[in-house]
Amino acid sequence: MNFLHMAERKGFALLADQIIAHRNDQEKWTSDMLHLVDMSEKFLGSFYGEDIYVQARKQLKENGRWARFALHALQSVHPRVAKTAALNGGFQAAFLGRQKTLSLSEKYGINIPWIILMDPTSRCNMHCTGCWAAEYGHTLDISYETLDQIISEGENMGIYFYMMTGGEPMTRWNDIRKLAASHPCCEFMLFTNATLINPENVQEMTALGNIALSISIEGFEETNDSRRGKGCFRRVMKAMDLLHRQGMLFGSSTCYTKKNIPDVMSDRFFNLLIDRGCLFAWFFHYMPVGQDAAPALLPTPDQRAYVYHRIREVRRSSPDGQGRFLFPMDFQNDGEFVNGCIAGGRCYCHINSNGDMEPCVFIHYSNMNIKNHSLLECLSQPLFRVYKKRQPFNHNHLRPCPMLENPEILGQMIREVHAPSTDLMAPEQPDNLFQKCVSYAAAWTPEAEKLWKESHPESTHGSNS
Ligand code: SF4
């Protein structure tokens, strides 16, 4: 960071201290937050569009839902964690970093992401049915030095947000805490099964301040444990209670399937997450990837449409009707907020535990490995360039994916750039993926078109295909 940016960060840090100090005095807190909106507008100008500042001011002045949510989050999270998340995720990643990634993207003519998702290991302490970590075997690690190198190169390019999955990232806790300490301006999010969370590592996380957690949960006790093993659900609840008590920033991560949708979309499930202190909830549509995939678990069009409406409803209101908060995100149905597919470095990319730089955690093809190439070279690989050229893959962002909803496109791209399969257990041909997705895509299309027209009456585009 240059001197000017350090001074700007310092200015935001002072204001963050003030905002946190006033978190129990709504009037002062609102005034501080309005000051933050003014400062952000001055700093960023029209970078994110004027409407965002207008809406933020309106929310704060009218004590709207999002203002109440922000205050609730601030009151539940440890001051150090809240301040670091705001500075690293806000000032560093969304403000400073985003400007840099966009200018480099223009300079090199490639996508530069603002998030990198990495699997530091394929090792896991559990053996869940259908998990991609199980597919990749349990023997692969990216060395500390390589992880450190990726993050250092990323910081130089304006990338300050690093997510980790696996395998179980907590099996690499000693390395992850070193990385978090060595890169204090970066924000880290670990997707974890939570069974290795303990009072000591939670205390270390709180002291570091720049780590958040997304905890895997597949439903209630019986469903969760049938996939993840007996006793897992109770261990997850225990971990969430501990994280909540210590003021950690955390949420949940759930894969929704034909089987578990009634459970994981129920009021009871959302209220369970809120009771345990989750502030956000990721929902991932089941993807039929790999040799053990079960296309029978793909949601029906009615189920997917239900999830679309249900997640928007929970975001707008409260599942218990008492105004309690949770921010659910639907990786597949929320494409409209990010203009479709975010992969291939457009917003994010994935590095598997072998070091292969893949467009997305669900797309196991790559032309380059981070162990032999720089981050910039990996982001410049042919597969990422063809992603950039063809994104968005559909004008209807309820059909964003080149695999799931537009399955012919992935095969075309893979063949065009000769990207080999990076699935380490059993290389998968794109034709095989196509076969698993084609009938799903055809069944979803009419429902997706109907929903898109209803929510975007001004749209003049039909679908691409
Ligand atoms: S490749 Fe598919 S699953 Fe991955 S980000 Fe794009 S749309 Fe989503």
Side-chain angles (χ1 to χ4, degrees), residues 10 53 78 114 139 187 215 228 248 283 367 377 464:
K10 184 92 186 143
Y53 305 109
H78 189 287
W114 62 283
T139 52
E187 188 68 17
I215 296 179
R228 296 188 166 267
M248 277 296 294
F283 286 96
N367 298 110
E377 286 170 338
N464 281 5

Side-chain angles (χ1 to χ4, degrees), residues 359-385:
C360 171
V361 69
F362 299 115
I363 305 290
H364 299 169
Y365 298 90
S366 174
N367 298 110
M368 281 197 195
N369 189 297
I370 198 72
K371 292 178 182 165
N372 312 317
H373 296 275
S374 70
L375 184 57
L376 183 61
E377 286 170 338
C378 285
L379 292 170
S380 309
Q381 65 174 280
L383 182 56
F384 281 39
R385 286 183 184 272

Side-chain angles (χ1 to χ4, degrees), residues 5-74:
H5 292 153
M6 279 162 68
E8 284 166 344
R9 183 173 165 113
K10 184 92 186 143
F12 275 95
L14 287 171
L15 184 53
D17 284 334
Q18 197 172 308
I19 288 170
I20 291 166
H22 289 153
R23 67 190 184 280
N24 293 318
D25 180 334
Q26 190 166 350
E27 205 175 313
K28 285 187 181 155
W29 179 81
T30 304
S31 153
D32 294 339
M33 288 294 286
L34 285 165
H35 185 191
L36 175 66
V37 176
D38 292 344
M39 230 170 115
S40 306
E41 188 172 22
K42 197 166 149 209
F43 180 64
L44 282 167
S46 57
F47 188 71
Y48 281 112
E50 275 173 31
D51 193 47
I52 205 158
Y53 305 109
V54 173
Q55 290 304 327
R57 288 192 186 95
K58 189 168 181 297
Q59 278 286 322
L60 288 162
K61 285 177 184 163
E62 295 174 3
N63 194 26
R65 175 173 171 74
W66 298 115
R68 284 182 279 129
F69 191 9
L71 185 56
H72 162 72
L74 204 54

Side-chain angles (χ1 to χ4, degrees), residues 119 122-124 126-140 166-167 227 286-294 352-353 358 361-364 421-428 432-433 436:
D119 301 349
S122 65
R123 278 182 282 145
C124 185
M126 298 181 74
H127 304 276
C128 305
T129 318
C131 171
W132 66 69
E135 263 183 71
Y136 272 181
H138 296 277
T139 52
L140 295 166
R227 180 170 172 227
Y286 175 72
M287 293 288 192
V289 179
Q291 61 178 358
D292 294 331
N352 72 17
S353 53
E358 300 167 337
V361 69
F362 299 115
I363 305 290
H364 299 169
S421 168
T422 43
D423 190 316
L424 300 170
M425 295 304 285
E428 180 159 39
N432 200 42
L433 271 175
K436 285 186 279 186

Side-chain angles (χ1 to χ4, degrees), residues 240-271:
M240 285 185 173
D241 289 344
L242 174 63
L243 292 163
H244 192 32
R245 271 199 309 278
Q246 296 298 316
M248 277 296 294
L249 176 57
F250 72 97
S252 59
S253 169
T254 300
C255 173
Y256 61 87
T257 70
K258 182 185 267 183
K259 268 193 182 166
N260 73 356
I261 281 176
D263 277 358
V264 300
M265 289 293 127
S266 66
D267 281 352
R268 191 175 149 225
F269 187 70
F270 284 114
N271 285 324

Side-chain angles (χ1 to χ4, degrees), residues 31-183:
S31 153
D32 294 339
M33 288 294 286
L34 285 165
H35 185 191
L36 175 66
V37 176
D38 292 344
M39 230 170 115
S40 306
E41 188 172 22
K42 197 166 149 209
F43 180 64
L44 282 167
S46 57
F47 188 71
Y48 281 112
E50 275 173 31
D51 193 47
I52 205 158
Y53 305 109
V54 173
Q55 290 304 327
R57 288 192 186 95
K58 189 168 181 297
Q59 278 286 322
L60 288 162
K61 285 177 184 163
E62 295 174 3
N63 194 26
R65 175 173 171 74
W66 298 115
R68 284 182 279 129
F69 191 9
L71 185 56
H72 162 72
L74 204 54
Q75 288 167 340
S76 359
V77 172
H78 189 287
R80 189 181 308 108
V81 176
K83 179 180 173 181
T84 315
L87 286 175
N88 292 2
F91 174 78
Q92 214 74 39
F95 293 179
L96 211 58
R98 197 65 189 130
Q99 297 190 57
K100 181 125 187 223
T101 55
L102 287 176
S103 88
L104 286 179
S105 175
E106 206 173 306
K107 176 174 169 190
Y108 294 114
I110 58 173
N111 281 331
I112 309 268
W114 62 283
I115 297 172
I116 295 181
L117 172 64
M118 313 193 264
D119 301 349
T121 181
S122 65
R123 278 182 282 145
C124 185
N125 58 324
M126 298 181 74
H127 304 276
C128 305
T129 318
C131 171
W132 66 69
E135 263 183 71
Y136 272 181
H138 296 277
T139 52
L140 295 166
D141 279 315
I142 303 181
S143 70
Y144 172 82
E145 290 70 26
T146 304
L147 293 167
D148 187 48
Q149 179 74 21
I150 295 167
I151 299 170
S152 300
E153 288 179 28
E155 274 192 272
N156 285 335
M157 296 165 79
I159 307 167
Y160 292 99
F161 205 159
Y162 296 87
M163 294 182 168
M164 293 186 183
T165 175
E168 170 49 49
M170 286 302 292
T171 61
R172 296 285 302 275
W173 173 241
N174 282 340
D175 286 331
I176 291 172
R177 70 178 165 188
K178 268 194 330 190
L179 290 168
S182 308
H183 299 276

